[in-house]
Amino acid sequence: MNNKEGGGHGRGSGGFRKRKHDNFPHGQRREGKDVNSSSAVMVAFKLFQQELDTRHDKYERLVKLSRDITVESKRTIFLLHRITSAPDVEEIMNESESKLEAVRQKIKQVAQELWGEDMYQYHRAITPGLQEYVEAVSFQHFIKTRSLISVDEINKQLVFISEDTREENNTVSSDLDDKPKPLCTWSLKVTPVDYLLGVADLTGELMRMCINSVGNGDIDTPFEVSQFLRQIYDGFSFIGNTGPYEVSKKLYTLKQSLAKVENACYALKVRGSEIPKHMLADVFSAKAEMIDREEGIS
């Protein structure tokens, strides 16, 4: 009997909580809710809700823009890879510039969304697109100049002035010319971390460029790329573990790309004269696969 009574008390624990809530009749709770909805506290929280909803909507718009930037930047990279086999290099470079200009227009929309906001509150939404853009624009710059574009040069291209607003300002008196400037000028700065991560991803594209070049009988480009990758790797080595975690993680991939290119260049240097040009790409790929297997075993 005692056990049953104890069990009843155990089951009644929930009932006890229910009876505790019953101390507040439903009518009184509804009346209190009606009173609180017009209180200063509830009004303040409604404003907080509106602000959070606005920020969430802005964040989602930035995520969508970042995806568009990523897709268009990737298409530009794919286009630039055709340069190793295309007869008209100038045509591809012009087309890539047009594509990058379209990407910059997307970045302009990002800058407009972030006007008056702290960029770092939304940085996570836009960083994938910015990294991919850095990769595309640095790849194009390397093909043109065989050098690395600086973050300052990239940011100079991301300053936008609205032409329509400039035309309207022509009718405004000269003493008001300074006031509309913040409204017609937008800019977005690539952060140092975005730049470093984009450059680290560039090394993988340069390795693919080597394979494509060798496949077309060009044995000079791999040696140029090898020297360039060595310089980038040395630069990243100065950062080491003191930089952000993502940079340290990319450093391993960069080292892999460098090792593949250097070993393939070694094979081309030693055996290049005795291997037919149409088989050079196979040697390059075989060397890369061998390095992958060795790293997997280790």
Side-chain angles (χ1 to χ4, degrees), residues 20-267:
K20 184 178 179 180
H21 285 297
D22 285 342
N23 292 332
F24 302 95
H26 294 288
Q28 292 183 10
R29 288 206 302 270
R30 285 196 297 268
E31 182 181 355
K33 183 178 179 181
D34 294 338
V35 172
N36 290 337
S37 64
S38 60
S39 67
V41 174
M42 292 302 296
V43 170
F45 271 90
K46 286 181 180 179
L47 294 176
F48 297 155
Q49 179 186 9
Q50 293 175 0
E51 182 179 353
L52 290 174
D53 288 343
T54 301
R55 288 183 175 275
H56 176 75
D57 293 341
K58 185 187 290 289
Y59 190 93
E60 291 301 318
R61 290 195 300 270
L62 290 172
V63 168
K64 185 179 183 303
L65 286 171
S66 179
R67 289 172 183 165
D68 294 340
I69 293 170
T70 300
V71 170
E72 294 302 322
S73 298
K74 285 183 180 295
R75 288 175 179 171
T76 305
I77 293 172
F78 295 153
L79 172 67
L80 289 170
H81 275 302
R82 290 168 44 197
I83 208 164
T84 56
S85 59
D88 191 353
V89 175
E90 192 66 26
E91 181 180 351
I92 290 182
M93 295 303 292
N94 292 335
E95 186 178 353
S96 67
E97 185 59 37
S98 299
K99 286 183 175 294
L100 286 177
E101 184 58 35
V103 174
R104 284 190 278 268
Q105 291 304 311
K106 292 288 185 181
I107 296 178
K108 177 182 177 182
Q109 295 180 38
V110 173
Q112 291 172 336
E113 287 282 356
L114 293 177
W115 175 253
E117 300 279 358
D118 182 4
M119 187 192 77
Y120 289 96
Q121 290 186 357
Y122 302 93
H123 183 253
R124 188 174 180 180
I126 62 176
T127 182
L130 293 180
Q131 291 177 32
E132 201 68 33
Y133 171 74
V134 170
E135 182 180 353
V137 74
S138 58
F139 189 31
Q140 185 202 53
H141 190 268
F142 175 80
I143 293 174
K144 284 183 179 179
T145 64
R146 290 296 193 266
S147 62
L148 179 64
I149 189 171
S150 67
V151 65
D152 292 333
E153 291 179 82
I154 293 177
N155 286 331
K156 285 179 183 178
Q157 300 174 356
L158 301 182
V159 178
F160 312 97
I161 300 177
S162 174
E163 297 179 358
D164 295 336
T165 309
R166 277 210 307 260
E167 292 175 359
E168 292 175 2
N169 290 342
N170 292 335
T171 60
V172 181
S173 58
S174 59
D175 58 337
L176 298 178
D177 285 343
D178 293 337
K179 293 183 179 179
K181 285 182 180 179
L183 301 178
C184 64
T185 303
W186 296 273
S187 63
L188 185 68
K189 288 188 176 182
V190 173
T191 66
V193 174
D194 292 334
Y195 174 74
L196 290 175
L197 294 177
V199 170
D201 290 335
L202 168 67
T203 59
E205 302 302 332
L206 293 177
M207 185 189 67
R208 296 182 185 92
M209 181 182 176
C210 285
I211 298 175
N212 296 335
S213 300
V214 172
N216 291 285
D218 179 8
I219 61 174
D220 295 327
T221 298
F223 292 96
E224 295 175 353
V225 171
S226 176
Q227 184 179 2
F228 180 72
L229 288 180
R230 171 55 64 180
Q231 293 174 351
I232 292 181
Y233 179 75
D234 291 342
F236 272 88
S237 298
F238 284 112
I239 301 175
N241 295 327
T242 60
Y245 170 73
E246 296 88 350
V247 176
S248 301
K249 189 176 179 181
K250 296 277 187 181
L251 184 60
Y252 177 73
T253 305
L254 195 161
K255 185 178 180 180
Q256 283 183 314
S257 299
L258 175 61
K260 292 174 184 178
V261 173
E262 286 186 337
N263 280 275
C265 288
Y266 174 79

Side-chain angles (χ1 to χ4, degrees), residues 290-298:
M290 183 181 68
I291 296 171
D292 288 337
R293 287 195 300 269
E294 290 175 354
E295 290 175 348
I297 293 174
S298 61

